[in-house]
Amino acid sequence: MIRPFDWRDLNLVRRLQDQGHVLNYEQALLEGAFPLRQALIGYLTLGSWGMQTLVLPRRGFVQLTCQPDANRAYLCYLSVSTPEDWLPLLEGTVAYLGRHGIHRLVVEAPEGGEAIGHLQRAGFALYAHQQIYRLDRPPAGLQVGTLPGLRPYRAADRWAVRSFYINLVPPLVRQAEGMWNGLQPDRWHAALVLEQEQEIIAHLAVRRGRLGHALHLMLHPQADHHADLLLAHGLAVLRNAPDRPIYCRVRRYQGGLDGALRQVGFEPLLTTAVLVRHTVARVIEPAWARTPGLETPTEVSTPSVPIHSVDQAGAVSIPTRRAGS
């Protein structure tokens, strides 16, 4: 049975940590993938800092981050002893999260890779595609032009930005994934909004990491022609940051960004798919209530309950390092 990592699992994680699968690329590209270190940090801090590691003894482990207030978790890393261990490890993880009040598990996997097939067999559904771009360094002499209405993000903008996001992102993606990572202020180094006629039409967030930086850009269709200037302003924010690669991910529903990214020197790195598994399901049960002249049961819906079993239905170099090395 799957359980949280403890000292008995040191050898398992040490043995499998270099043969696993990255399932959250921004986290890995910006901070690296160090499974044993993350497992020890989570264990020593009682899960209050870093990732949570769940172990299927002798067979594999997963690492994830949770958003308890949003009933959502993000799978970041998975490693198994054999391909046959994927399904029991994923099923065990889903059941464990369901018992602990997490309703959705979000994962990202390279298109065409081994992981997608295993995830779909475990009941994960495809919700979005995205292209990740990389820029080794901003172009020399980058010109940052004036853009009327562009200003720093303020706390008072929170609900306007949220409404802006809701209007742009497909409903199914919003319901499954919640607020996109780029719209979480505690993750930003800096953020800008483009406001015209008292309406926000673009949002740019900059995130710094130990190994790389990221730009998150959301554009209203009427702001597509400002994409190049907005990217230039984002790169200018990183002008004094440590010299590290810069990444930008573009969902397929975000038209207008690809050309602007290539124009300033970004190159496609890989294409990934975002998949989601719901850990709860609505159950319909008959309510046997006697009604004059009616002898058939009436169906009513009951609250969602955890699922404890399910039916079976691009290589990128990520920095890794063993703990203590």
Side-chain angles (χ1 to χ4, degrees):
M1 177 176 290
I2 201 162
R3 55 172 171 76
F5 169 91
D6 64 32
W7 61 269
R8 295 170 293 176
D9 306 309
L10 283 171
N11 286 335
L12 175 72
V13 175
R14 183 182 292 113
R15 175 171 61 88
L16 297 180
Q17 67 173 342
D18 293 329
Q19 62 189 56
H21 297 261
V22 169
L23 298 173
N24 183 322
Y25 275 89
E26 180 170 302
Q27 174 69 26
L29 291 168
L30 270 58
E31 304 295 343
F34 308 114
L36 185 55
R37 178 196 294 176
Q38 290 288 352
L40 289 170
I41 290 173
Y43 177 64
L44 294 174
T45 62
L46 302 179
S48 62
W49 195 73
M51 297 182 189
Q52 182 174 3
T53 301
L54 300 178
V55 173
L56 188 61
R58 298 183 300 279
R59 304 183 72 177
F61 69 92
V62 298
Q63 293 185 320
L64 45 87
T65 58
C66 294
Q67 291 182 311
D69 56 333
N71 300 321
R72 186 176 296 106
Y74 294 86
L75 190 56
C76 298
Y77 196 82
L78 176 149
S79 190
V80 291
S81 295
T82 69
E84 290 72 26
D85 295 323
W86 273 85
L87 188 58
L89 179 59
L90 289 169
E91 285 187 336
T93 299
V94 168
Y96 180 91
L97 294 175
R99 290 194 299 270
H100 289 80
I102 299 297
H103 296 171
R104 299 177 185 88
L105 179 58
V106 183
V107 60
E108 180 187 350
E111 286 195 345
E114 171 191 5
I116 286 186
H118 291 294
L119 290 163
Q120 290 181 322
R121 281 190 287 275
F124 284 78
L126 180 62
Y127 274 72
H129 298 269
Q130 62 187 20
Q131 179 76 53
I132 299 177
Y133 286 86
R134 171 180 168 134
L135 176 67
D136 287 329
R137 58 181 54 84
L142 178 68
Q143 298 297 316
V144 181
T146 301
L147 183 55
L150 184 66
R151 59 171 176 79
Y153 170 90
R154 300 188 292 254
D157 295 322
R158 178 178 178 84
W159 291 107
V161 170
R162 185 182 182 93
S163 177
F164 164 72
Y165 168 84
I166 288 172
N167 288 331
L168 289 182
V169 178
L172 283 177
V173 177
R174 291 201 316 269
Q175 292 168 14
E177 195 181 20
M179 290 299 287
W180 184 39
N181 287 344
L183 297 181
Q184 296 173 359
D186 60 330
R187 299 166 63 94
W188 304 340
H189 167 69
L192 303 170
V193 295
L194 178 60
E195 185 177 19
Q196 293 184 356
E197 298 180 359
Q198 298 184 325
E199 181 181 358
I200 290 176
I201 61 172
H203 175 270
L204 171 68
V206 179
R207 181 183 174 192
R208 288 185 179 183
R210 291 187 303 161
L211 302 176
H213 310 303
L215 298 180
H216 292 274
L217 179 57
M218 293 285 286
L219 289 171
H220 189 279
Q222 72 186 67
D224 281 352
H225 60 288
H226 294 313
D228 53 347
L229 268 177
L230 286 163
L231 287 171
H233 279 271
L235 294 174
V237 171
L238 292 169
R239 185 173 289 156
N240 297 320
D243 187 13
R244 293 165 185 161
I246 302 168
Y247 301 93
C248 185
R249 64 182 184 183
V250 180
R251 296 279 174 86
R252 288 191 180 170
Y253 52 77
Q254 294 177 267
L257 274 182
D258 298 85
L261 285 165
R262 293 173 186 268
Q263 188 173 341
V264 296
F266 280 87
E267 295 290 341
L269 181 65
L270 79 161
T271 303
T272 64
V274 178
L275 300 97
V276 179
R277 171 65 200 271
H278 296 264
T279 68
V280 296
R282 183 172 296 279
V283 177
I284 305 298
E285 294 181 348
W288 295 89
R290 288 187 176 274
T291 303
L294 180 64
E295 295 296 329
T296 57
T298 301
E299 289 190 335
V300 297
S301 61
T302 63
S304 299
V305 298
I307 295 176
H308 296 283
S309 63
V310 295
D311 294 331
Q312 293 195 28
V316 175
S317 176
I318 301 296
T320 60
R321 185 172 65 199
R322 297 179 183 275
S325 63

